Every structure is written in C-alpha cells, then in structure tokens.
C-alpha cells in the first residue's frame, strides 16, 4: 500500500480527535467556569521505507488554563476567581477543583455548590454558616462574614503548572499533583456577585470547525485518489502479465 494512504489515514485520525474537542468546547461554551480542551500534536517519522515518511500523531488532549471573562450576577452566593486559583470541593473521599463559584447554603448551614458538593476552606474542611443570619459578605481573600462576625473562609488553591488535569462533573477538574493553598491575594482572589464564563471563543471554535472539516475532506480525497491509483496499477500489471 502506498505511503500516501498511511499518511492520509494518520491525518484523519488526528483531525477526528481535534473535531471531537472542538465539538465538546462548543457544547460547553455556556458552562460556568469551563476550561476548553486543546490538542497538542507531534510528528512521527517512519524509517521503514527507503525514504523517511512523516505521519501525524493522534494528538494529546489537555485542558486549557486560560481564564474566562466575568459576568455580574449580584448574587451574594456567587463568586468568580481572579488569577490562577481554584475553589476546592469535596467529592466523596476526593477533592476536585473548580472555577464555578455558584454556591448555596443548605438547611444545616453548610456552604455547597449547586450540585451539592461541600465548598472547602484552606484546610480542606467544609464551611459552616448560620442560615438564620442572612447572606454572607465574601472578601477577596475568601473570608466570610455574617453581620460583624467572620464565620469562615473559602479556600483558594493553586494547581502546579506541570500537573495533568482530568475532568470531573460539570467544569471541575482533578489534578495528578496536590494543589497548594494560596496565601497572598494580590494577583489571586475571589469577587463576590460575579461568575466566570467559559474560556471558549465561539467564533474561533466555529472557524476551527470549518477548517478541520475541510482538512478532513481533503484527507478523504487523498485516500480515494491513492486507492484509485493502486487499483489502476494492479490492473495494468495484470494486463501485462
């Protein structure tokens, strides 16, 4: 089989993977705090033939950490994260991290996400409020006050730059390396009454979708041409035999 066919097939696999990430990004463009999927490709060089042949890898998918924009909600239980920090939430026996700062106070006064997960402080403990003392005030450092009394503080965590992230429910992630509590709130902090949008540019993603679709069609055409060429070669060889 001709090398062009292998090259075209490797391109189709890579493009299919990229199309999946773009489709997933577009589906979550309105998900609060969502982080887009990106794909990193590399070149694979085959030396089996007399002349080296380059193939596209299937690509390595990773989660972008680029921040999104802020949307004002004026809801006292909404917070947006500024900087590189993440909110911690308790999911079973594990901890996940999210930029979705929409919260609620349950009947027992525990601060939870809209999906019912405990929001944690810097020590990894659930935050207990008084449900009868009204809406809390939340400072940039995550400190929570009700009336004149500080009743807790939302933890803000930094995930190492080299940590690999895997997705959890909604827009949450789980890193393969421990996150560390943030203790300085100059560049990092929370803003009460706001939420963070997904870091997805829908126009750019639609442009990518069009370009990738065209490239996929071109690869399909290359495979078709290669098959036709091989068929003609076999037929010609059969006639001269």
């Amino acid at each position: 089989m001709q090398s062009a066919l292998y090259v075209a097939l490797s391109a189709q696999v890579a493009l299919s993977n990229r199309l999946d990430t773009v489709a997933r990004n577009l589906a979550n463009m309105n998900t609060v705090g969502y982080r887009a999927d990106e794909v990193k490709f590399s070149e694979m060089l085959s030396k089996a033939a007399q002349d080296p042949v380059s193939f596209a890898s299937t690509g390595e998918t990773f989660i972008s950490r680029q921040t999104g924009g802020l949307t004002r909600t004026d809801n006292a239980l909404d917070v947006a994260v500024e900087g590189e920090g993440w909110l911690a939430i308790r999911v079973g026996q594990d901890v996940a991290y999210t930029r979705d700062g929409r919260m609620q106070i349950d009947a027992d006064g525990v601060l939870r996400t809209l999906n019912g997960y405990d929001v944690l402080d810097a020590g990894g403990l659930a935050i207990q409020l008084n449900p009868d003392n009204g809406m809390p005030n939340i400072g940039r450092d995550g400190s929570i006050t009700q009336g004149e009394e500080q009743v807790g503080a939302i933890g803000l965590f930094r995930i190492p730059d080299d940590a690999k992230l895997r997705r959890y429910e909604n827009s949450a992630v789980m890193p393969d390396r421990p996150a560390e509590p943030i203790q300085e709130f100059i560049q990092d902090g929370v803003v009460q009454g706001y939420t963070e949008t997904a870091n997805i540019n829908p126009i750019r993603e639609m442009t990518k979708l069009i370009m990738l679709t065209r490239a996929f069609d071109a690869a399909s055409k290359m495979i078709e041409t290669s098959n036709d060429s091989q068929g003609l070669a076999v037929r010609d060889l059969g006639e001269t035999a």
Side-chain angles (χ1 to χ4, degrees):
M1 188 177 289
Q2 297 168 334
S3 296
L5 182 57
Y6 286 118
V7 172
L9 284 171
S10 73
Q12 278 195 321
V13 172
L15 290 167
S16 178
N17 189 15
R18 192 69 186 95
L19 282 167
D20 287 343
T21 63
V22 172
R24 191 157 51 245
N25 289 342
L26 287 171
N28 286 281
M29 57 184 289
N30 294 318
T31 302
V32 174
Y34 189 84
R35 289 290 177 265
D37 280 334
E38 299 290 348
V39 180
K40 178 171 62 179
F41 293 101
S42 60
E43 180 186 44
M44 295 186 296
L45 190 64
S46 171
K47 298 181 180 180
Q50 182 177 359
D51 297 321
V53 179
S54 294
F55 299 90
S57 71
T58 56
E60 179 183 353
T61 303
F62 65 95
I63 297 174
S64 168
R65 299 201 195 184
Q66 181 180 353
T67 58
L70 299 187
T71 300
R72 183 171 180 173
T73 66
D74 290 325
N75 186 338
L77 291 177
D78 287 344
V79 296
V81 179
E82 288 189 325
E84 301 300 321
W86 297 76
L87 305 174
I89 57 176
R90 175 69 61 186
V91 290
Q93 299 299 317
D94 298 317
V95 175
Y97 299 89
T98 183
R99 301 273 294 199
D100 183 355
R102 297 173 297 170
M103 301 177 292
Q104 60 183 338
I105 302 174
D106 71 8
D108 297 322
V110 178
L111 192 63
R112 300 180 184 272
T113 67
L114 295 187
N115 292 332
Y117 298 117
D118 292 351
V119 178
L120 305 181
D121 62 17
L125 300 176
I127 300 169
Q128 181 74 43
L129 307 183
N130 188 334
D132 297 324
N133 280 0
M135 287 292 102
N137 290 316
I138 302 174
R140 180 175 176 81
D141 61 353
S143 59
I144 303 173
T145 57
Q146 287 183 298
E148 300 297 325
E149 180 183 3
Q150 180 173 341
V151 294
I154 298 172
L156 201 59
F157 295 81
R158 179 175 288 108
I159 297 175
D161 292 338
D162 57 351
K164 292 184 179 180
L165 308 179
R166 62 182 177 89
R167 293 200 181 278
Y168 192 70
E169 183 178 309
N170 198 23
S171 58
V173 300
M174 301 184 80
D176 64 351
R177 295 186 58 188
E180 296 293 334
I182 293 174
Q183 298 180 353
E184 294 185 2
F185 301 94
I186 299 174
Q187 295 181 337
D188 303 285
V190 298
V191 184
Q192 187 177 23
Y194 287 80
T195 58
E196 182 183 7
T197 62
N199 65 344
I200 295 169
N201 184 324
I203 297 177
R204 185 179 64 183
E205 294 299 317
M206 285 299 300
T207 302
K208 288 180 184 178
L209 187 63
I210 293 171
M211 294 175 61
L212 290 167
T213 301
R214 290 176 177 173
F216 193 90
D217 290 341
S220 298
K221 183 64 177 178
M222 183 183 295
I223 292 175
E224 182 181 344
T225 301
S226 180
N227 282 332
D228 291 343
S229 176
Q230 187 178 31
L232 288 174
V234 171
R235 187 187 64 185
D236 291 344
L237 286 172
E239 291 177 352
T240 58

